[in-house]
Amino acid sequence: MPLDLTTEAQDDITALRSRIDTIDTEISRLVAERREHSRRIQRIRLDVGGPRTQLSRENEVIGRYTDLLGSAGTALAHLVLTTCRGALPGARRSTADEAAGERRA
């Protein structure tokens, strides 16, 4: 059953949803930028014979997200880290990753 909202309430919801859409767009842009920096760091490490990731650094990131957002922050940090780390060298990309690559091309 749909809510019977006043015009003012509907306008408020529309404005707030528009702002959320703007924020989501910015979050996506920032995650893409973060991913690029992360991949550059990984490449530098690998080029000098080091490990691809540094778990102590990842734990710092997880701790910051957890401090700010609680258990949801922990889950979000893991998702951000996984997204930005990318697939292991030689690993098969998922269908979603391939589709995203095609959209960027």
Side-chain angles (χ1 to χ4, degrees):
M1 182 163 112
L3 292 175
D4 187 21
L5 299 174
T6 65
T7 301
E8 182 180 344
Q10 289 174 348
D11 290 346
D12 288 346
I13 289 171
T14 299
L16 291 166
R17 284 181 176 160
S18 176
R19 181 64 183 134
I20 286 172
D21 291 346
T22 300
I23 291 168
D24 286 344
T25 299
E26 184 65 7
I27 289 170
S28 297
R29 187 195 66 73
L30 289 168
V31 169
E33 180 181 343
R34 187 190 193 288
R35 181 178 53 216
E36 181 57 33
H37 292 306
S38 179
R39 288 182 178 167
R40 290 176 67 193
I41 290 168
Q42 291 174 55
R43 176 53 40 212
I44 292 167
R45 277 204 191 108
L46 291 170
D47 287 349
V48 298
R52 183 169 166 255
T53 60
Q54 185 179 10
L55 294 180
S56 61
R57 169 64 179 158
E58 290 194 359
N59 286 331
E60 289 175 20
V61 172
I62 292 166
R64 280 197 312 273
Y65 275 74
T66 301
D67 289 346
L68 289 169
L69 301 170
S71 61
T74 304
L76 181 58
H78 282 286
L79 183 58
V80 167
L81 288 167
T82 300
T83 299
C84 292
R85 187 183 308 121
L88 291 171
R92 182 173 167 2
R93 290 174 38 163
S94 73
T95 304
D97 289 337
E98 289 170 1
E102 289 172 9
R103 284 193 300 272
R104 284 190 299 266

